[in-house]
Amino acid sequence: MIYTERFLVLYGSQTFTAQEVAERIWRTTKLLGFKGPVQAMDDFSISKLIHEEFALFVCSTTGQGDEPDNMKRFWKFLLRKNLPSNSLVKLKFGVIGLGDSSYAKFNFVAKKLHKRLIQLGATPILDLALCDYQHDLGHDAVLSPWLKNFLATLRNYFPNLPTDTIKSSFVPRWKISLIKTGSHENGAAFNEDIYFRNGLKDHFLDTSYFEVEKNIRTTDETHFQDVRLITLKVCEDKVLDYKPGDVFNIRPRNSKEDVDDLFEIFDTHNLDIKPYYRLKVEQYHDDMPVQEFFKDPLTMYEIAEQYWDLKAYPTQYVFSLLALVSEDKLEKEKCLELSSAEGQEDWLNYSRRPKRTILEVLHDFHKSASKLTIDVLFELFCSIKPRSFSIASSCLSSNGTKLELLVAVVKYYSKLKRARLGLASNWLKSLQNGDKVYGWIKKGSLKFPEDKDIPQIFVAPGTGLAPFRSLLQEKLYDGTANKDVLHLFFGCRYKEKDFHCKEELEKMVEDKQLSLYTAFSRDQDNKIYVQHKIAEVSNELWHLINNKGAYIFISGNAKNMPDNVRDAFIDVFNTCGDIDMAEAKEMLKDIEKNGRLQVETW
């Protein structure tokens, strides 16, 4: 049954994850017989929302509870005071929030949007979905059952909705065809950026063109981890404008080894897909437009290198697609099991926990991989998401011509005993002086006080130092660096191996511009971390926080550090403030609520 009703799917996303979730929902509604666009919220003519009857909104939260760039105009319109309270009385809706519970304002934007839509007379079909990236299952832990319930509730309005179509077919977003001409010699200008070639721009992004000026290892060669200080110089006739705490976004590329592996898989299974073939992408559905950078044909090598994420961990949806094309009984059954709700634990153990990549899955399920088509491949691979890095330099000190990144190169071993390499960090490591890259600057989540006399306490293990280095450089530049105001707790493993920017920081201490407290966890038998250093100077910290109104900033790995540091400050309040633990916890909560405790983790 084809319904004439539109089913609108709108997204607001900083990392493009919300866009992919929105497209996934669009596929489902398409299979159910609905029609209707999937769009960024700011691309939708919001004045027409009063005529819509059914809509889903997918949104992420940025900064300290801020809406994403491609949702700002939409949200500003909804907040108009002159909008009648029955403006959206026709609308039945659902809101899906994509968040991270390690942040204080978890899914704040989704909560605000849900509440505002109700205030304007809209009716929620289901309570909002608060997805949490920190869950073992990622966003799917909430998203999958919520969508199932949402569609079940939707049957109250459309009792004849089909039930089994989703498992037996899929809806391709676009019409994909291969132009099988050329050869390796004339096949590709492989270094051109597909997103910004020929003057292309994303209307939500203020993108700049950079050249790598330096790419220096900051850790000792004998240290287990390679950390890079990368200097990028803007190439265009443009002056950068960024503040301490701002972030730099960049879209990485797959390694040559992974790209070659993909084309070997194609060759092994006699799939007629060559690196030099050109890919033509055309609009297939009225409600799913083709992205601008696809308008001109791209080589398959460019798609493999810059668009498909070859290091992604396959979702359950990936296995449902493999089951759809597979002609091997055993592999098909296994894929169906891994894609089912009942097989979620098996999927976790096979895919997510060992960090198995999509390429490794194609090797494991090689009989199913031999049946892949270009249409299915475009659904199988997710796109490479931009990565965000805190800027580690002051804009003022370079007159707006440069920025620096402090990047830990990710390499570890899972139980598969194979090296797991972070896509973005290893790509950045590979960049040579003179290489050209595109990137864009965004406001970060950390907001430093403007009053130069307010004390600031920074807690920064490892590369968490980056945003604070930016601030310290700015204070040095404008002559306001003062040891009574700036207090840095820095932690690493060894003083002589991974003490980032050691000379800079020690020079500031020598010049009485910084109070520095260092924790080198492996330089002695008992491990010492930043929280232990906080305990050592608890009286001084209590004075700064309670009497001087100090701000606390925490930056670094999201695993255990932030909670351990929070607990250390609660102990400071408990012991030095002579208050009980319940009051100490409440005090920390109040400080965070008022913006005097801010956390940036990853």
Side-chain angles (χ1 to χ4, degrees):
M1 180 174 183
I2 303 297
Y3 293 103
T4 56
E5 286 84 355
R6 279 159 54 91
F7 196 107
L8 183 68
V9 185
L10 299 179
Y11 62 86
S13 178
Q14 196 78 354
T15 63
F16 300 88
T17 304
Q19 181 179 342
E20 289 198 342
V21 170
E23 289 174 353
R24 169 179 163 185
I25 294 165
W26 170 85
R27 291 188 195 103
T28 303
T29 58
K30 203 76 177 171
L31 283 167
L32 293 173
F34 290 100
K35 64 177 183 179
V38 54
Q39 288 180 292
M41 292 185 193
D42 280 1
D43 279 341
F44 176 71
S45 180
I46 189 171
S47 60
K48 296 179 180 178
L49 195 60
I50 60 172
H51 304 298
E52 299 291 343
E53 290 194 46
F54 295 93
L56 265 176
F57 302 87
V58 187
C59 51
S60 59
T61 297
T62 69
Q64 299 293 319
D66 303 320
E67 64 279 359
D69 283 354
N70 57 6
M71 181 183 169
K72 288 186 182 297
R73 193 171 67 247
F74 180 92
W75 180 240
K76 187 177 180 182
F77 186 95
L78 282 187
L79 288 180
R80 287 185 179 182
K81 290 182 180 179
N82 61 350
L83 290 178
S85 60
N86 62 350
S87 299
L88 301 179
V89 73
K90 287 179 64 177
L91 183 68
K92 276 75 71 178
F93 74 95
V95 173
I96 297 169
L98 305 179
D100 185 326
S101 59
S102 66
Y103 285 88
K105 294 193 174 179
F106 170 58
N107 269 317
F108 196 62
V109 171
K111 293 171 185 175
K112 288 193 298 184
L113 177 60
H114 189 265
K115 183 178 179 180
R116 184 57 178 158
L117 291 171
I118 293 173
Q119 287 173 347
L120 294 174
T123 303
I125 294 175
L126 207 64
D127 198 9
L128 77 169
L130 299 178
C131 302
D132 185 6
Y133 180 74
Q134 292 297 327
H135 195 281
D136 260 1
L137 297 171
H139 291 141
D140 270 354
V142 169
L143 181 60
S144 294
W146 188 90
L147 275 177
K148 186 176 179 181
N149 290 338
F150 183 86
L151 294 173
T153 309
L154 199 60
R155 286 187 173 83
N156 294 333
Y157 301 92
F158 303 98
N160 296 322
L161 285 180
T163 56
D164 281 336
T165 55
I166 299 169
K167 294 182 179 178
S168 59
S169 59
F170 79 99
V171 179
R173 285 168 291 173
W174 307 300
K175 182 181 178 182
I176 310 290
S177 53
L178 287 174
I179 305 169
K180 300 180 179 180
T181 59
S183 65
H184 263 296
E185 287 69 35
N186 64 9
F190 291 159
N191 290 322
E192 192 174 22
D193 191 291
I194 65 172
Y195 295 92
F196 305 108
R197 61 184 184 155
N198 302 327
L200 280 177
K201 291 285 184 182
D202 186 314
H203 62 293
F204 296 118
L205 307 176
D206 182 17
T207 313
S208 299
Y209 192 30
F210 293 85
E211 180 179 289
V212 178
E213 187 173 89
K214 294 178 185 175
N215 191 342
I216 300 167
R217 177 169 175 148
T218 68
T219 49
D220 190 83
E221 290 293 336
T222 63
H223 189 57
F224 82 100
Q225 187 169 49
D226 184 351
V227 176
R228 296 279 161 159
L229 185 61
I230 302 170
T231 304
L232 300 174
K233 182 177 181 179
V234 70
C235 295
E236 304 162 318
D237 185 17
K238 186 174 184 178
V239 177
L240 301 175
D241 181 19
Y242 60 88
K243 302 286 189 295
D246 286 352
V247 298
F248 184 68
N249 287 289
I250 196 164
R251 190 181 277 103
R253 299 186 183 188
N254 290 304
S255 67
K256 184 178 184 301
E257 292 75 17
D258 282 343
V259 174
D260 288 345
D261 187 21
L262 177 65
F263 284 104
E264 278 182 32
I265 290 172
F266 293 159
D267 287 342
T268 300
H269 298 306
N270 296 315
L271 298 175
D272 190 15
I273 304 174
K274 305 297 182 188
Y276 52 85
Y277 284 0
R278 292 194 173 270
L279 187 92
K280 189 176 182 182
V281 181
E282 299 173 280
Q283 191 157 334
Y284 192 42
H285 307 278
D286 292 340
D287 47 11
M288 178 58 72
V290 174
Q291 291 164 282
E292 192 66 29
F293 63 89
F294 277 132
K295 294 297 175 66
D296 293 326
L298 299 167
T299 65
M300 280 305 303
Y301 192 98
E302 288 171 312
I303 294 294
E305 182 195 42
Q306 298 184 52
Y307 184 67
W308 288 338
D309 189 344
L310 303 184
K311 286 202 179 299
Y313 311 134
T315 63
Q316 288 190 290
Y317 179 62
V318 164
F319 293 101
S320 71
L321 289 173
L322 286 174
L324 194 65
V325 300
S326 182
E327 295 177 5
D328 180 81
K329 186 174 182 295
L330 289 176
E331 286 194 9
K332 188 181 187 75
E333 286 176 357
K334 188 62 179 174
C335 285
L336 286 171
E337 180 188 337
L338 291 171
S339 66
S340 68
E342 299 76 21
Q344 215 165 55
E345 188 65 24
D346 288 336
W347 168 76
L348 272 173
N349 289 330
Y350 172 74
S351 180
R352 191 175 175 98
R353 286 174 181 143
K355 311 294 187 186
R356 201 181 301 268
T357 69
I358 183 72
L359 288 180
E360 289 168 336
V361 168
L362 294 183
H363 281 293
D364 286 353
F365 290 84
H366 57 95
K367 292 177 182 176
S368 304
S370 68
K371 303 301 178 185
L372 290 170
T373 64
I374 191 65
D375 288 318
V376 176
L377 283 166
F378 249 80
E379 303 303 317
L380 197 73
F381 290 108
C382 62
S383 61
I384 293 176
K385 310 295 186 300
R387 289 352 190 234
S388 297
F389 296 91
S390 291
I391 298 173
S393 57
S394 166
C395 187
L396 300 179
S397 59
S398 69
N399 296 315
T401 61
K402 300 176 186 178
L403 61 81
E404 292 184 326
L405 307 176
L406 190 64
V407 179
V409 180
V410 177
K411 180 180 180 180
Y412 63 95
Y413 291 85
S414 70
K415 66 180 184 181
L416 295 177
K417 309 249 189 286
R418 298 174 190 161
R420 307 286 101 180
L421 304 176
L423 174 58
S425 61
N426 280 275
W427 174 71
L428 286 167
K429 172 187 173 181
S430 73
L431 295 176
Q432 303 294 313
N433 291 354
D435 282 351
K436 305 286 195 302
V437 296
Y438 283 89
W440 57 99
I441 293 165
K442 305 295 292 182
K443 286 185 179 178
S445 63
L446 300 179
K447 308 289 187 241
F448 300 105
E450 293 183 7
D451 188 333
K452 62 179 175 52
D453 295 322
I454 294 179
Q456 299 177 54
I457 301 162
F458 312 118
V459 184
T463 55
L465 176 64
F468 307 140
R469 182 177 186 254
S470 176
L471 181 76
L472 295 177
Q473 285 191 355
E474 189 148 303
K475 295 290 186 183
L476 283 172
Y477 184 86
D478 64 20
T480 60
N482 181 337
K483 72 177 181 63
D484 296 325
V485 173
L486 305 174
H487 301 261
L488 172 64
F489 290 80
F490 174 77
C492 63
R493 292 197 173 200
Y494 304 99
K495 182 177 181 180
E496 302 304 327
K497 290 187 178 184
D498 57 334
F499 188 172
H500 311 310
C501 309
K502 178 176 180 287
E503 292 75 16
E504 289 178 41
L505 298 176
E506 290 181 339
K507 178 72 165 59
M508 288 188 72
V509 172
E510 184 183 328
D511 295 340
K512 302 188 185 313
Q513 296 165 325
L514 173 70
S515 292
L516 178 65
Y517 314 86
T518 51
F520 306 115
S521 63
R522 304 301 198 277
D523 273 344
Q524 61 286 309
D525 291 338
N526 57 314
K527 292 178 182 176
I528 298 175
Y529 298 113
V530 284
Q531 59 265 30
H532 300 128
K533 291 295 177 180
I534 289 169
E536 287 178 12
V537 289
S538 55
N539 286 321
E540 182 180 352
L541 291 175
W542 172 251
H543 173 69
L544 290 171
I545 296 164
N546 191 56
N547 302 328
K548 297 284 189 179
Y551 279 57
I552 304 167
F553 299 92
I554 304 171
S555 173
N557 190 286
K559 193 175 181 183
N560 298 315
M561 182 274 295
D563 286 341
N564 291 336
V565 170
R566 277 190 171 96
D567 289 344
F569 278 108
I570 289 170
D571 287 339
V572 169
F573 301 162
N574 171 233
T575 55
C576 301
D578 195 24
I579 57 178
D580 63 32
M581 288 300 288
E583 290 177 294
K585 288 177 182 177
E586 198 59 37
M587 182 178 176
L588 188 77
K589 204 177 287 184
D590 288 342
I591 287 174
E592 188 161 14
K593 186 177 179 181
N594 295 326
R596 285 177 52 207
L597 167 60
Q598 298 175 35
V599 182
E600 181 178 87
T601 57
W602 53 86

